[in-house]
């Protein structure tokens, strides 16, 4: 009887390891889309240093020496905060929302996929 428990235990350990790896991979993928709010980041194209500060509600205040640097920082902050929204706007016309939301978005995907926007 003990010989029979060993394969079951090995299968259980393998399943648990697979679940842990999948959860860790999903966590790392989702964490990458979270905006970096503290510290400093290099941004190419800036002439001088730009400071981005956020209040308690997360509203960004940008301080720059030139309008061009401020505009570049605004674009960076916008892209940083709107990554998920932009991804959805990209997936909708391509008919790929069900990859994220499952069966709920399948009708929308069936409507948009025949237009083959991804191929265009």
């Amino acid at each position: 009887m003990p010989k029979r428990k060993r394969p079951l235990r090995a299968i259980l350990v393998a399943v648990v390891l697979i679940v842990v790896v999948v959860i860790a991979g999903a966590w790392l993928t989702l964490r990458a889309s979270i905006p970096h709010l503290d510290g400093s980041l290099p941004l190419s194209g800036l002439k001088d240093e730009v400071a981005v500060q956020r209040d308690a509600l997360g509203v960004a205040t940008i301080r720059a020496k030139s309008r061009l640097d401020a505009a570049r920082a605004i674009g960076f902050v916008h892209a940083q905060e709107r990554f998920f929204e932009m991804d959805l706007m990209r997936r909708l016309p391509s008919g790929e929302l069900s990859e994220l939301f499952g069966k709920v978005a399948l009708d929308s995907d069936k409507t948009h996929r025949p237009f083959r926007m991804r191929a265009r």
Side-chain angles (χ1 to χ4, degrees):
M1 197 96 167
K3 289 183 180 180
R4 190 168 195 205
K5 286 185 178 182
R6 286 184 183 168
L8 291 176
R9 186 174 287 164
I11 291 171
L12 181 63
V13 168
V15 167
V16 168
L17 285 174
I18 290 170
V19 168
V20 168
V21 168
V22 167
I23 290 173
W27 181 78
L28 289 173
T29 301
L30 292 174
R31 190 173 180 347
S33 68
I34 296 174
H36 184 80
L37 302 177
D38 296 326
S40 62
L41 291 172
L43 182 60
S44 64
L46 292 178
K47 304 290 185 213
D48 288 311
E49 188 172 310
V50 175
V52 178
Q53 296 176 331
R54 297 177 188 273
D55 63 11
L57 297 174
V59 176
T61 302
I62 297 173
R63 298 180 197 276
K65 292 183 180 178
S66 70
R67 284 185 161 199
L68 188 62
D69 286 348
R72 184 170 291 277
I74 287 170
F76 178 80
V77 169
H78 177 75
Q80 191 180 44
E81 292 178 348
R82 303 293 183 227
F83 176 73
F84 185 69
E85 180 183 4
M86 289 186 285
D87 188 40
L88 290 180
M89 289 169 44
R90 176 185 62 86
R91 288 177 184 264
L92 176 65
S94 301
E96 298 172 351
L97 284 179
S98 61
E99 293 175 8
L100 292 177
F101 301 112
K103 292 180 181 179
V104 173
L106 199 54
D107 289 337
S108 173
D109 286 354
K110 287 178 181 177
T111 302
H112 288 96
R113 209 159 275 192
F115 299 113
R116 301 187 62 230
M117 293 304 283
R118 174 71 67 207
R120 295 171 199 266

